[in-house]
Structure formats: structure tokens, C-alpha cells
Amino acid sequence: MALGRRARGGELSVLLVGPAGSRSLNRRYRGRDHSTNVLSFPAAGRTPELRRALGDLVICPQLLRREARAQGKTMRAHWTHLVIHGTLHLVGYDHQRPAEARRMERRETRLLRSLGIADPYRSG
């Protein structure tokens, strides 16, 4: 699998929410009082029954649509990027420190390129 060994055979759930739901979850779990495009919740304690569970993605389609328009991206490209971005969080990637961010962005851009989608971090 393109996401690596940790994700092989894994499953994830996707929940679509409106801006209010996104804001509520972002405030509760991240301490940030605003809606966000994607939230990732890794599966806790992968028991034998849940060993395939990677976790949950929560996506706000309305915010995603606005961002795609504002950034001049297609909906397909932006959706794909955010699903990949969120899923990488589920398998342990992060972007809190510069080195982590570079590693995660490199993986994202490689996966997106393999799907024919341009680097979302390049301007212009």
C-alpha cells in the first residue's frame, strides 16, 4: 500500500460534517475555536477485533469547497489531498516540527503525483 506497512489492510471511517460540527470537534479535541477542513482521530488501543482500524477522518465539505475555489484547485484535487493528509496522520505522520512537516509533505506530494495531482504546496 502506498501509505506504508502500518496502513496495509487498514480500514478507516469518514464522517462528513458541517462547519458547526467541525468547529465543535476542533474546539473539543484540539482547543482551536474554528472549523477546519479535516480532523484525524487515530484508533485507540488496536485490539485484535479492531486491529485493522486506522481511525476516523472528519471532513467538512463546505469548507473544503471554499478552500478549493480560493486556491484555484479542483474539488477532486483538494479532496484527494485532504484524505491523504488526514490518513497520513492516522498512520503516525505529523507536521508540528519543520523536519516532520517536510517528511509528511514529501509523502503527500509523491502520493498525489502518482494520482496525477499537482503539488499542493507549490505556489503558482
Side-chain angles (χ1 to χ4, degrees):
M1 171 181 260
L3 294 174
R5 262 180 302 183
R6 291 174 286 186
R8 186 169 292 128
E11 298 173 355
L12 59 90
S13 65
V14 178
L15 174 65
L16 304 180
V17 298
S22 173
R23 180 179 182 178
S24 176
L25 290 168
N26 201 24
R27 182 176 49 241
R28 180 174 180 182
Y29 293 101
R30 295 180 66 221
R32 297 182 180 173
D33 193 17
H34 59 84
S35 59
T36 189
N37 49 25
V38 64
L39 291 165
S40 300
F41 296 96
R46 292 175 73 177
T47 63
E49 301 82 37
L50 299 175
R51 66 185 160 96
R52 294 179 53 161
L54 297 176
D56 306 317
L57 295 183
V58 179
I59 297 174
C60 180
Q62 289 146 303
L63 183 53
L64 195 141
R65 190 176 308 114
R66 264 189 309 224
E67 290 175 345
R69 272 192 229 123
Q71 297 169 18
K73 297 176 181 175
T74 66
M75 286 293 293
R76 177 185 173 271
H78 202 41
W79 268 93
T80 304
H81 177 214
L82 292 180
V83 168
I84 287 172
H85 182 89
T87 304
L88 286 174
H89 277 303
L90 295 179
V91 297
Y93 282 77
D94 208 342
H95 45 77
Q96 295 302 312
R97 294 188 296 252
E100 292 173 336
R102 285 189 302 273
R103 178 176 173 253
M104 186 169 181
E105 287 176 15
R106 279 193 307 269
R107 184 46 109 26
E108 288 175 42
T109 56
R110 260 195 318 266
L111 291 167
L112 289 165
R113 186 175 37 247
S114 75
L115 298 170
I117 297 172
D119 181 347
Y121 298 105
R122 280 196 131 144
S123 54

